[in-house]
Amino acid sequence: MTDHKPTCSPLPPHLRQLESESIGIIREVAAEFRNPVMLYSIGKDSGVMLHLALKAFYPAKPPFPLLHIDTRWKFRAMIEHRDRIAERYGVRLLVHTNPDGLARGINPISSGSQLHTQVMKTEALKQALDQWQFDAAFGGARRDEEKSRAKERIFSFRSAGHVWDPRNQRPELWNLYNTRINQGETIRVFPLSNWTELDIWQYTRAEDIPVVPLYFAAARPVLERDGQLIMRDDERMPLKPGEREQVRMVRFRSLGCYPLSAAIESRAETLDDIIAEMLATRTSERSGRLIDSDEAASMEKKKRDGYF
Amino acid sequence: MTAISDTGAAERNGLLRFLTCGSVDDGKSTLIGRLLYDTQLVLEDQLAALERDSRKHGTTGEDLDLALLVDGLQAEREQGITIDVAYRFFATPRRSFIVADTPGHEQYTRNMATGASNSQAAVILVDARKGVLTQTRRHSYICALLGIKHVVLAVNKIDLVEFSGERFHQIVADYLGFAAPLKFSSVASIPLSARFGDNVIRRSEHMGWYDGPTLIEQLESLEAGEELQGKPLRFPVQWVNRPNLDFRGFAGTVASGVVRPGDRVVVAASGRESAVQRIVTADGDLPEARAGDAVTLTLRDEVDVARGDVLAHADARPEVVDQFAAEVLWMIEEPMLPGRSYLMRIGTRYVPARVTSLKHKTDVNTLEHIAAKTLGLNEIGLCNLSTASPVVLDPYTENRATGAFVLIDRFTNATAGAGMIRFGLRRATNIHRQALLIDKAARTRLNGHRPAVLWFTGLSGSGKSTVANIVERELHALGVHTYMLDGDNVRHGLNRDLGFTDADRVENIRRVGEVARLFVDSGAIVLCSFISPFRAERRMVRELLEAGEFIEVFLDTPLDECKRRDPKGLYARALEGKIKNFTGIDSPYEPPEHAEVVLTPSPLGPQEEAQRVLEALRERQIIA
């Protein structure tokens, strides 16, 4: 990241264009909002977003904290990465877990992915935004991830109560973002809107951005459940009758709660390998996310409820 | 073909943003679906979803309905139409692309303009069976208005006219005849079939008569990115970066031109000069920064620079004006009213602005100019605007980055209008106010009281004039200089040319506000008694005055009570339909949210209410 020596080879022009656009968006938020926050989900997109924030305000530090919504079911390697990054870059890291959900014992295994996501991610996020009175929150979502996200604004307006109304979005012309809000209203900001998954990996490689090791293939114990490869990261996930763990060469394209994040079989051990694999692959990144297939148009529904 | 190379498509030609426009059935979504499908960006699980959706919602029988790939949101999937702007991404070995997919019908002019505002090129679809339609003209006009220079005329569904070259050439001739005045830099016409893929990525085997480029070849080779780099330097300051006392940097994105260390630059609005010292980035200092680069500049001298300022080369400065002409596209239901104050965002700056006159609106189908008093949703008009303080700008046709603005509704914060500046009307820097020897402060000392506006607002019959008259009588008895501006009286003279439409009501209040300001400047307490139904106009008058000078008195008399009083018999006539646009009957009243004085009908009568107004003046030490 930015404490590295300047990168030797210049960025390809399209990455440079994307980088500049994103830096402009990040600065805009810092300039116009009273109390912004950057959602940090520890994944590769968050890594790029944080890197861009560090660049945007260089030589100063970003004038806002990071916020991680911890469901308590993230991979252990993710939490280690999170704490290492916060320390390394000297950024303020806030962590929030939904205390009601904890008290109710909500978990992705017996509560089901839908309820778990609703309570431990969506509700938890709303709690955190309210608790710290944030008026703008950066998210790392990209328009190429999913159909309903293709229509999301870069500055996405939420009425009081964090409600997203896809039929009543502010038109966004040029780079003249409308940052005006009334008391209680908030804005979600997506600086990576125009990046694709391939852009993210190429940029990560070009800029030498650290990522969670789970993105790289390694021999890991996994079990097969509903046609997906799941890695038991701890003892909280019991084996069903007939299930058994076996060691396979796997990696993750997308990281979340470990019981909900499927691994893919892969031999990609470096960023070069990952990019090569991506160019050959024929499966989209969110297909490893078990939460999206809950129901038709599920992402749009979750977004209306306040999910990122 | 392989979709993309390892290092990314874009080393050669960077990123191209284009929009697709066409009518409902021209096949826009199908064309984009085809581009994604043929560049292999449709993945296995998406394909499975597509097969499922095609059976459920599709319109192509047993075939894949590629349009479903791009019609995103749930609601519109069910209606079978595209309702917003959707962004799509694909890449070839030569270039990366961002596609803005925008809907075609008239009511969505706003969305098309949104997509066009960030696009360098447009693909305009025409159904080969139907040829150039009214919509085609509308789309081309909007593209031209938004400054798109490169057009691809995609004559789609060519398979349905037996791949006829004759039909194609006829359509192209029609189009070129129409588009000539729009002054596009390039128009490429391509016969294609989005459904079957002919001439999209794959060269058609059915059109031996066509030897031009395929759609993708045309898009890959367009030279559209460099335009802003050749323009004069404009650097809108976005953020002042001050980590410690030794560093003061101005962060922003170069809007146009090129900047290098050592360049002489000016702060456009103030004219203060300095030179660029460093171009700072996290990757080290740069020898130059070009349009589109996000950097941080430091200057050699300590000059006053803040967010909203624009840096330019000393020998190629932008205009600094407070009045200009612009094309305005209106984007919300509530009409644009000349005279009303909106918040204008231009560059990195917000400034209050008013439309001073609407010269005409343009029929987007015929391009005819039509006289009009207001602009409705999706209407486009040529306006004169005036800003509360001078702004830095260039004509939009010369510089898209500094010639564009948006207008924001000051109450709802909705993005209400988009503007493209034609030209500045006069240089603000040339207008010098006459310096006066006797000023308001001097008059206040002589008078022994401070000036103010007492603004009485409320429904007809709420008692505004009655209370105002008593207040004026009492003030007069106290030796206070007063003047009364009454709604009915003003309409007999100063505003006799105005009616009761929303637009005329706004202008009525604007003029009264200006007159009241003159009287305040003379040191008087001005009593204004006007229904003044809109918050925006009351706020406009408030903003004309200094803080504390505007005292809003809201006569909160219920409508039923006003109807019962009906001192002039107006409610009776309005209820019979003999008066149109009557406030409270068929025209709205927006009650104040933070009036200084709220008067509900007192059992002791208007005398008591007048006393409360006088108390308010004493509390504020306007009178002793």
Side-chain angles (χ1 to χ4, degrees), chain B residues 40 61 77 149 155 197 412 440 452 475 488 504 551 573 601:
Chain B
Q40 303 190 5
R77 216 184 300 180
K149 300 273 182 250
V155 180
T412 63
K440 187 158 65 179
L475 288 172
D488 289 340
D504 279 0
I551 295 163
R573 294 182 61 207

Side-chain angles (χ1 to χ4, degrees), chain A residues 14 16-17 20-21 24 27-28 32 55 57-58 150-151 172 174 177-179 202 275 282 284 287 300, chain B residues 6 8 10 17 44-45 74 76 87 114 117-118 238 241 283 292-294 307 345 350 396 413 415:
Chain A
H14 78 292
R16 195 167 154 194
Q17 282 169 277
S20 278
E21 180 184 86
R27 286 172 174 167
E28 194 60 28
E32 284 293 334
K55 282 194 161 190
F57 301 99
Y58 176 87
K151 307 205 160 178
E172 222 160 49
W174 302 287
Y177 304 110
N178 177 353
T179 55
Q202 289 177 336
I275 289 165
R282 300 285 289 160
S284 79
S287 69
E300 183 180 349
Chain B
D6 169 23
R17 295 168 195 248
E44 275 167 11
D45 54 326
Q74 195 173 2
E76 73 180 54
Y87 297 91
T114 302
S117 72
N118 282 320
Q238 202 180 6
N241 193 343
D283 300 315
D293 292 344
R307 173 174 166 85
R345 170 146 197 185
Y350 289 98
Y396 187 74
N413 288 323
T415 305

